[in-house]
Amino acid sequence: MSTESYKRAAAARALTYVEPGMTLGLGTGSTAAHLVNLLGLKVADGFDIRCVPTSEATAEQARRFHIPLTTLDDVPFLDLTIDGADEVDGHLQLIKGGGGALLREKIVATASERMIVIADVSKKVEQLGRFPLPVEVVPFGLAATRLLVSEYAQEVGCLGDISVRGGKDGAPFKTDSGNLILDCAFGKIEDAEALDAMLKLVPGVVENGLFLDIAWKVILAGPGGIEELDMTVDL
Ligand code: 5RP
């Protein structure tokens, strides 16, 4: 089986947790796109759902499938969010933002009672940090923000190249909110909570891609089948 079929299998398993009448956050990326496809098929069969997309790309895909959309202004608390991830560790801690949607993804996930993460098994790591940590920053004062990110990260043992993410046309990549992404190649992150806290002290940082204690369940699909990792604390 291919990686795409694993992503689709994880998405299909996640859909078994979606009940009629729910409000659902729709993630961003290639794995979440499988979820939107599969949900679209259910909606075509009359399944009742209202969704909040985490990016313009997901919104566009959902509209193509006639999936009813709403906003967090109309529905500020959702039943469930299902989204992909760039890295997942054994404690359900995540790195997200490879698709540049981390800000809306974090807003939607934290506005949800539960978050289910779907991924192929290659996303599972012993320790976060193999994937460069995306940090969303405002364009104003970019060089100063980058320097502070570097200095503050060093204080918690994180060192490495920090690059401004490029877009397709050679210009910097712009998020749906008009911000930039710093990709921070720190390598293994020994203390993710401390790094998260330090990054939050930088005024130009809008959000970072560490999703700590947010996921309720992780569904990983691979050659050995489907594995579900669960949060150990009851909600
Ligand atoms: C987008 C994300 C994605 O969920 C993450 O990058 C995983 O994407 P994919 O499913 O394509 O591997 O965080 O900002």
Side-chain angles (χ1 to χ4, degrees), residues 7 16 23 29 43 55 67-68 75 86 98 109 126 137 143 150 173 180 201 230 234:
K7 292 177 186 178
T16 66
T23 49
V43 167
S55 65
I67 295 172
V75 187
D86 299 297
E126 279 292 310
V137 301
S150 168
F173 171 86
L180 306 174
L201 295 177
D230 289 303
D234 279 344

Side-chain angles (χ1 to χ4, degrees), residues 8 34 45 51 55 77 94 102 145 150 166 172 177 196 198 203 232:
R8 191 176 167 89
H34 285 290
D45 278 346
C51 297
S55 65
F77 189 67
L94 319 172
L102 67 102
T145 298
S150 168
S177 302
D196 183 45
M198 285 310 253
T232 45

Side-chain angles (χ1 to χ4, degrees), residues 5-181:
S5 60
Y6 297 142
K7 292 177 186 178
R8 191 176 167 89
R13 173 66 69 90
L15 263 187
T16 66
Y17 291 90
V18 180
E19 291 165 15
M22 271 187 164
T23 49
L24 180 69
L26 295 176
T28 295
S30 58
T31 316
H34 285 290
L35 176 86
V36 177
N37 283 338
L38 294 169
L39 183 63
L41 297 176
K42 280 172 81 82
V43 167
D45 278 346
F47 191 76
D48 173 31
I49 194 90
R50 273 183 307 158
C51 297
V52 173
T54 54
S55 65
E56 298 301 330
T58 297
E60 193 187 312
Q61 189 195 359
R63 278 194 287 267
R64 268 190 273 122
F65 283 98
H66 307 290
I67 295 172
L69 296 182
T70 184
T71 66
L72 287 182
D73 297 316
D74 287 333
V75 187
F77 189 67
L78 307 179
D79 294 308
L80 177 67
T81 283
I82 304 175
D83 199 351
D86 299 297
E87 276 188 0
V88 176
D89 76 8
H91 303 285
L92 280 69
Q93 311 294 43
L94 319 172
I95 286 183
K96 285 184 51 56
L102 67 102
L103 175 60
R104 292 191 187 184
E105 289 172 335
K106 202 179 266 192
I107 292 172
V108 172
T110 54
S112 304
E113 188 172 359
R114 291 185 169 153
M115 178 197 199
I116 296 179
V117 175
I118 49 176
D120 73 273
V121 76
S122 71
K123 303 291 183 67
K124 192 172 175 193
V125 295
E126 279 292 310
Q127 198 168 15
L128 297 179
R130 185 179 66 194
F131 190 90
L133 178 68
V135 177
E136 182 158 346
V137 301
V138 295
F140 180 84
L142 176 63
T145 298
R146 184 176 176 169
L147 187 63
L148 266 192
V149 166
S150 168
E151 287 177 0
Y152 284 17
Q154 272 191 48
E155 286 191 32
V156 290
C158 291
L159 282 137
D161 183 60
I162 298 178
S163 55
V164 180
R165 187 177 298 179
K168 282 187 189 134
D169 49 4
F173 171 86
K174 284 265 177 113
T175 69
D176 284 345
S177 302
N179 295 318
L180 306 174
I181 299 280

Side-chain angles (χ1 to χ4, degrees), residues 194-212:
L195 178 60
D196 183 45
M198 285 310 253
L199 292 173
K200 285 186 161 66
L201 295 177
V202 181
V205 168
V206 181
E207 225 355 301
N208 73 77
L210 288 167
F211 281 51
L212 306 178

